[in-house]
């Protein structure tokens, strides 16, 4: 199992996982330049929520490695052609460009960025799944298996053959650069959709038990809503709750789980599986307060989410007797710690 420390310290390990650039979009959206392939230093710094100087320091310390993953600085004629082809307006005499591989490489070098840490968590979890997935030889008549194999083959061809061909044509052509860039962008969209489809198939078919701690939140982020509710229900049972009932659905009246605590108090739970860059807001807490206290007259109420809570939401929860189980607390709970309110 690759550890985060090993990833931070080993150039060889970092190089071995550079193809998994889809993990970047799992954490937050990565905005690209109009060419559909690159980002600037400022854009990378914004993505990782660090200062530009911090990023420049990383580049200075690891320039050769980043160049191997596609980092480059354009000047002179190359910069002029790139600006003309991509429509970028800039008076700078040089422009540093990062493809997605180089951005992922940066994520494995930045030690003090929470966004980079989360990218590493996803990356390690995907590597764990890939290494522990049972090797099977499904029958050719299995539609899901055929879809996955076809997706992988097409994605490989697009990424290793078609896109490099477009890049070479764009570099050498002066008359049709805009048309070629537009075609390349279309191919990249297809490649991205195929990667997303293959990732969804992997999530549906992969085992979810006995994950290492570093993959706890990544595995929850890969769950659908019902799986997440079942996970929370399992945590309640582990901590001594009884009569645990899943009520999620169109008629749940704002409550996903009901139960009794180990000492007999009535308990209700709302579960929200949101992306980690989103937040639970005060209106959602206010709605839950009505359901928990008015409709169900609960003694204990948990609002469990895979994301943070806004300050207003936390204040309203505290004032209303709601226990806000935010992303960090959920990770600790899933790893074995008990919630104070259940003790």
């Amino acid at each position: 199992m690759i550890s985060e420390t090993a990833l931070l310290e080993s150039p060889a390990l970092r190089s071995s996982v550079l193809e998994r650039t889809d993990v970047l979009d799992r954490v937050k959206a990565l905005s690209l330049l109009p060419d559909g392939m690159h980002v600037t230093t400022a854009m990378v710094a914004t993505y990782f929520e660090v200062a530009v100087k911090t990023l420049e320091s990383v580049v200075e310390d690891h320039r050769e490695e980043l160049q191997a993953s596609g980092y480059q600085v354009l000047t002179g004629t190359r910069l002029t052609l790139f600006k003309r082809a991509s429509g970028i307006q800039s008076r700078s005499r040089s422009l540093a460009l990062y493809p997605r591989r180089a951005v992922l490489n940066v994520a494995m070098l930045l030690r003090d960025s929470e966004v980079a840490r989360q990218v590493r968590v996803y990356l390690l979890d995907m590597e764990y799944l890939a290494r522990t997935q049972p090797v099977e030889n499904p029958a050719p008549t299995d539609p899901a298996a055929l879809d996955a194999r076809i997706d992988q083959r097409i994605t490989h061809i697009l990424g290793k053959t078609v896109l490099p061909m477009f890049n070479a044509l764009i570099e050498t052509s002066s008359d049709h650069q805009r048309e070629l860039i537009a075609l390349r962008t279309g191919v990249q969209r297809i490649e991205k959709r195929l990667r997303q489809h293959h990732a969804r198939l992997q999530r549906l078919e992969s085992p979810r038990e006995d994950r290492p701690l570093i993959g706890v939140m990544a595995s929850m982020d890969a769950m659908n809503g019902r799986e997440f509710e079942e996970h929370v229900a399992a945590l309640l049972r582990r901590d001594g709750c009884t009569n645990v009932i899943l009520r999620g659905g169109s008629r749940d009246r704002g409550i996903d789980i009901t139960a009794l605590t180990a000492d007999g108090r009535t308990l209700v739970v709302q579960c929200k599986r949101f992306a980690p860059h989103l937040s639970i807001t005060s209106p959602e807490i206010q709605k839950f307060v009505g359901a928990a206290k008015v409709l169900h007259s609960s003694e204990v109420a948990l609002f469990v989410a895979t994301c943070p809570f806004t300050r207003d939401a936390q204040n309203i929860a505290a004032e209303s007797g709601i226990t806000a189980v935010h992303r960090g607390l959920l990770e600790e709970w899933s790893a074995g710690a008990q919630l104070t309110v259940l003790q």
Side-chain angles (χ1 to χ4, degrees):
M1 173 64 188
I2 300 175
S3 69
E4 187 173 6
T5 301
L7 201 60
L8 287 165
E9 299 296 337
S10 171
L13 283 178
R14 292 194 291 268
S15 176
S16 71
V17 295
L18 281 178
E19 296 300 325
R20 298 190 176 277
T21 57
D22 54 309
V23 300
L24 296 169
D25 296 311
R26 290 172 177 261
V27 176
K28 59 190 293 191
L30 176 64
S31 300
L32 300 174
L33 289 170
D35 72 338
M37 288 185 59
H38 298 95
V39 291
T40 64
T41 299
M43 294 167 72
V44 177
T46 298
Y47 177 84
F48 288 114
E49 300 175 6
V50 299
V52 170
K53 288 185 178 179
T54 300
L55 183 59
E56 289 174 342
S57 177
V58 170
V59 173
E60 186 65 27
D61 292 340
H62 303 276
R63 185 175 298 275
E64 289 188 9
E65 179 180 338
L66 289 169
Q67 286 175 337
S69 61
Y71 169 82
Q72 60 180 316
V73 179
L74 300 184
T75 59
T77 303
R78 292 182 66 204
L79 176 58
T80 302
L81 290 174
F82 182 81
K83 288 180 180 178
R84 185 184 305 161
S86 62
I88 294 176
Q89 301 296 324
S90 172
R91 295 182 180 180
S92 175
R93 295 184 178 180
S94 64
L95 182 65
L97 295 177
Y98 303 71
R100 291 172 65 87
R101 282 167 54 95
V103 177
L104 180 58
N105 206 150
V106 169
M108 294 183 280
L109 295 169
L110 270 174
R111 294 175 180 267
D112 299 324
S113 164
E114 177 59 27
V115 176
R117 190 195 73 83
Q118 190 62 47
V119 170
R120 293 194 294 271
V121 167
Y122 274 113
L123 187 61
L124 289 166
D125 195 57
M126 290 180 67
E127 280 298 295
Y128 176 80
L129 290 177
R131 292 168 185 268
T132 57
Q133 186 78 11
V135 178
E136 297 179 354
N137 295 308
T141 55
D142 182 348
L146 284 174
D147 284 348
R149 290 162 59 190
I150 291 170
D151 283 351
Q152 286 181 297
R153 292 182 63 187
I154 294 176
T155 302
H156 179 80
I157 292 171
L158 291 178
K160 298 296 185 181
T161 305
V162 178
L163 288 176
M165 178 188 69
F166 273 114
N167 292 338
L169 289 172
I170 290 167
E171 287 287 339
T172 58
S173 173
S174 58
D175 297 330
H176 303 287
Q177 279 189 335
R178 288 187 180 276
E179 293 89 340
L180 288 168
I181 289 173
L183 287 171
R184 181 181 63 188
T185 300
V187 172
Q188 287 174 318
R189 289 198 189 100
I190 294 172
E191 181 190 22
K192 180 178 179 180
R193 289 174 183 172
L194 287 171
R195 287 185 184 278
Q196 291 172 338
H197 178 61
H198 180 63
R200 283 195 294 269
L201 285 176
Q202 282 188 317
R203 289 199 301 271
L204 288 172
E205 296 171 357
S206 63
R208 302 190 181 279
E209 299 174 354
D210 300 321
R211 300 284 181 89
L213 177 57
I214 196 165
V216 167
M217 291 312 301
S219 66
M220 268 185 275
D221 290 334
M223 295 176 183
N224 60 36
R226 187 63 175 181
E227 289 172 332
F228 180 54
E229 292 169 7
E230 291 172 350
H231 173 74
V232 174
L235 294 177
L236 293 172
R237 295 188 185 98
R238 183 201 70 189
D239 291 346
C241 295
T242 58
N243 294 342
V244 179
I245 300 174
L246 274 69
R247 300 183 180 276
S250 59
R251 298 181 180 180
D252 63 7
R253 302 177 74 185
I255 300 299
D256 293 318
I257 303 173
T258 60
L260 295 175
T261 63
D263 58 1
R265 290 170 293 161
T266 57
L267 166 69
V268 296
V269 184
Q270 174 69 280
C271 301
K272 290 294 184 184
R273 196 204 62 77
F274 284 178
H277 63 274
L278 300 177
S279 296
I280 300 299
T281 59
S282 54
E284 291 167 301
I285 295 294
Q286 291 169 352
K287 181 180 177 182
F288 179 56
V289 170
K293 301 298 184 180
V294 178
L295 296 179
H296 291 268
S297 301
S298 65
E299 297 172 89
V300 180
L302 307 180
F303 197 116
V304 184
T306 57
C307 64
F309 289 67
T310 65
R311 186 181 299 275
D312 285 344
Q314 289 178 332
N315 290 338
I316 292 174
E319 293 169 0
S320 306
I322 304 296
T323 299
V325 183
H326 54 74
R327 187 175 182 85
L329 185 55
L330 175 59
E331 183 173 22
E332 294 175 7
W333 189 24
S334 299
Q338 280 196 325
L339 295 181
T340 303
V341 72
L342 297 180
Q343 294 176 0

